[in-house]
Amino acid sequence: MSAATDVRYLVFDVESVADGDLIARARYKSDTMQAGDAIEEFRSDLVNEGGKDFIPYTFQMPVAVVIAKVSADLELLDLVSLDEPLHRPHVITQHFWRGWQAYKQPTWVTFNGRGFDIPLMELAAFRHGIQLPEWFNMSARTYDQNRNRYNMKSHIDLHEVLTNFGSTWFRGGLNLAANLVGKPGKMVVAGNMVQGLYEQGELQTISDYCRCDVLDTYFVFLRYNVISGRIDVTREQELVAKAKQFIVERAADCQAYADYLEGWGEWENPWTAGT
């Protein structure tokens, strides 16, 4: 069996930053406005309009995308940061979509990727002129279209699962979900720090943060497979142990893995606690 057919799921996360030059051109119609000034002006406008300064994904570009390759039996096979250490947005975008094609269209797995990561990567493909006929299969039956919200063969958004497709608010996000299964969740870096890190040239720090988020997402994905009845807790914990060994074997050469192990926690199994 080839490596491509081994991969059944692609668990991923995207870190992105505001594109100040785009904001200056598209929002403020200026060819002379500095990128940083455009970003700050937009943030100020957003606070005045709605109280929050988060810049919409439509004005952002990917600067780190980490993907975990997972087999049909849910084993972690590999974990890569696209175009590391250069992190060029157009190359990241090309590798992201071409990889999905090369591995025979595995199922994407995300946490809130339906509302952010996937649309951002679609828009990046639009921006850079990358053809995606297999993904934009608009002539297929509605349910079979890859971009259909309820097509979980195409994309499993774990946030959608936990909120019953937006019926509830999952307050706590991936950090909470990871903590519930004993994993680190957010450590030193948080999402609102990414823009500042990028402006300081800390691309590796951003990539490492993204790598840890993908590990959290993978372990939450395993628990999803428990509650959906595909595996039991015993099998889940076997896969967790294998993944931990994967991380241990690479920790000496990757700061993200060393940090993740430092925050590692074991899930407390109530069924073996004698109560």
Side-chain angles (χ1 to χ4, degrees), residues 11-12 65-70 76-82 84 207-208 210-216 218-219 246-247 250 254 256-257:
V11 182
F12 81 95
V65 174
V66 174
I67 300 180
K69 303 171 188 178
V70 178
L76 177 62
L77 301 174
D78 196 10
L79 199 148
V80 297
S81 181
L82 303 184
E84 191 179 63
S207 180
D208 286 349
C210 191
R211 197 177 290 264
C212 292
D213 267 4
V214 170
L215 287 171
D216 279 343
Y218 170 69
F219 292 119
F246 174 97
I247 299 167
R250 294 159 177 79
C254 179
Y257 293 149

Side-chain angles (χ1 to χ4, degrees), residues 198-211:
Y198 177 77
E199 291 169 359
Q200 296 164 24
E202 296 289 341
L203 288 170
Q204 189 60 54
T205 301
I206 296 171
S207 180
D208 286 349
Y209 164 63
C210 191
R211 197 177 290 264

Side-chain angles (χ1 to χ4, degrees), residues 35-257:
D37 293 338
I39 291 170
E40 290 309 309
E41 184 73 17
F42 196 3
R43 281 176 166 166
S44 178
D45 291 346
L46 290 167
V47 170
N48 291 334
E49 293 167 7
K52 295 182 179 180
D53 70 349
F54 182 75
I55 292 176
Y57 79 85
T58 48
F59 291 91
Q60 296 198 34
M61 57 184 178
V63 293
V65 174
V66 174
I67 300 180
K69 303 171 188 178
V70 178
S71 67
D73 61 2
L74 305 178
E75 184 172 347
L76 177 62
L77 301 174
D78 196 10
L79 199 148
V80 297
S81 181
L82 303 184
D83 196 40
E84 191 179 63
L86 298 178
H87 299 283
R88 295 163 293 181
H90 64 293
V91 177
I92 288 173
T93 305
Q94 183 181 56
H95 288 182
F96 179 84
W97 291 111
R98 294 295 175 255
W100 176 75
Q101 292 168 328
Y103 284 107
K104 311 301 181 185
Q105 304 176 29
T107 302
W108 295 116
V109 180
T110 66
F111 196 97
N112 198 34
R114 180 74 64 189
F116 185 83
D117 304 73
I118 285 286
L120 188 147
M121 296 308 294
E122 290 177 345
L123 191 58
F126 176 89
R127 178 175 185 166
H128 299 302
I130 297 172
Q131 291 184 318
L132 303 175
E134 298 92 345
W135 181 250
F136 285 88
N137 57 338
M138 308 299 286
S139 62
R141 293 178 300 178
T142 301
Y143 183 78
D144 290 330
Q145 292 178 17
N146 284 319
R147 301 171 73 246
N148 184 294
R149 182 173 188 175
Y150 303 102
N151 184 353
M152 295 183 71
K153 181 180 178 182
S154 169
H155 178 197
I156 299 171
D157 183 336
L158 298 164
H159 183 264
E160 295 263 71
V161 171
L162 292 171
T163 64
N164 195 10
F165 294 93
S167 298
T168 66
W169 179 23
F170 191 79
R171 187 167 186 172
L174 177 61
N175 178 58
L176 173 64
N179 274 264
L180 285 171
V181 294
K183 299 304 168 283
K186 302 301 180 184
M187 294 183 285
V188 176
V189 178
N192 61 1
M193 299 168 62
V194 169
Q195 184 77 38
L197 289 168
Y198 177 77
E199 291 169 359
Q200 296 164 24
E202 296 289 341
L203 288 170
Q204 189 60 54
T205 301
I206 296 171
S207 180
D208 286 349
Y209 164 63
C210 191
R211 197 177 290 264
C212 292
D213 267 4
V214 170
L215 287 171
D216 279 343
T217 304
Y218 170 69
F219 292 119
V220 173
F221 177 52
L222 291 183
R223 183 54 56 92
Y224 155 74
N225 279 279
V226 173
I227 64 173
S228 63
R230 185 174 175 195
I231 59 174
D232 60 17
V233 166
T234 300
R235 176 57 181 160
E236 177 204 38
Q237 293 306 301
E238 290 173 352
L239 290 165
V240 169
K242 286 184 177 182
K244 184 177 184 181
Q245 186 59 35
F246 174 97
I247 299 167
V248 167
E249 290 172 356
R250 294 159 177 79
D253 300 318
C254 179
Q255 187 60 46
Y257 293 149

